Amino acid sequence: QQLTKKAAPEENPDEVLWAKLDTKDKNALQDFLSRRPSAHRADAQALLDQMAVRDTQRKSLQQPLDLFNAAFEHQQPKELKDIWPGATDQYVKALRPPAGYKVSIKLQATGDPTVAGDKAQIPCDLISETTGPGIQPKQNRKAVRVSLYKNGDRWLISDPFGQ
């Protein structure tokens, strides 16, 4: 009785290519699929699908940060309360400072979000700047974990200053 010998991974070119493939590189995966449509197709496609879901999620979680930043850029309390319903008077009033003064706060994502159901956190740099007549602009940068929650089909900020 003769057994069919299965090719060892180092003998099978598809296996060698798959073993060397950077599975975190979207372009490398797409290139692999176009060149080797049968070998590890399901694996490569599953990784690409996961990347697409993460990209979509990252974009939907970036939107509240952009809206928060725009509220300070436009100096609009209504915009701030719309994206951060729990904004305290301290921050709402900061958007209406005395003449000549401006308080600006910006959230800049520094890492990937973590999502658990309808809650998420994003590591960010919080950059605040105060300007006014006769004073040097003062800027501070602080690492924070912005907390968000899902309300319907929107993500809203629950805490922009988390540690």
Side-chain angles (χ1 to χ4, degrees):
Q1 180 178 12
Q2 187 132 3
L3 295 174
T4 308
K5 184 179 176 190
K6 191 174 183 181
E10 58 275 358
E11 296 172 9
N12 181 334
D14 291 341
E15 294 296 327
V16 172
L17 286 172
W18 180 253
K20 292 181 178 182
L21 185 67
D22 179 359
T23 57
K24 295 186 185 330
D25 182 343
K26 182 180 179 180
N27 292 332
L29 286 165
Q30 289 171 331
D31 187 48
F32 180 86
L33 278 177
S34 69
R35 291 182 186 195
R36 303 281 186 195
S38 61
H40 291 281
R41 180 173 192 71
D43 297 330
Q45 191 60 55
L47 290 168
L48 285 169
D49 292 347
Q50 288 172 4
M51 286 178 186
V53 167
R54 272 195 310 270
D55 287 347
T56 300
Q57 188 177 64
R58 190 176 295 120
K59 285 177 186 167
S60 72
L61 288 166
Q62 179 62 43
Q63 185 179 27
L65 302 182
D66 293 342
L67 293 171
F68 178 92
N69 295 344
F72 275 93
E73 185 178 320
H74 304 147
Q75 299 286 286
Q76 290 296 317
K78 183 182 177 324
E79 288 180 27
L80 183 64
K81 291 291 274 185
D82 185 50
I83 197 62
W84 179 24
T88 62
D89 283 348
Q90 172 187 359
Y91 295 100
V92 173
K93 287 178 183 174
L95 295 175
R96 297 282 188 226
Y101 288 87
K102 182 177 180 183
V103 175
S104 174
I105 297 177
K106 183 176 181 180
L107 294 169
Q108 186 174 19
T110 57
D112 289 333
T114 55
V115 180
D118 63 351
K119 300 201 182 314
Q121 287 194 328
I122 306 172
C124 291
D125 276 347
L126 178 121
I127 304 154
S128 61
E129 184 174 68
T130 305
T131 58
I135 63 168
Q136 290 290 327
K138 182 176 143 190
Q139 189 178 74
N140 292 310
R141 181 179 293 257
K142 176 181 170 185
V144 296
R145 291 194 67 76
V146 177
S147 295
L148 302 109
Y149 66 97
K150 192 127 189 186
N151 184 7
D153 62 348
R154 294 181 66 204
W155 285 98
L156 300 175
I157 296 175
S158 57
D159 180 7
F161 309 115
Q163 303 295 324

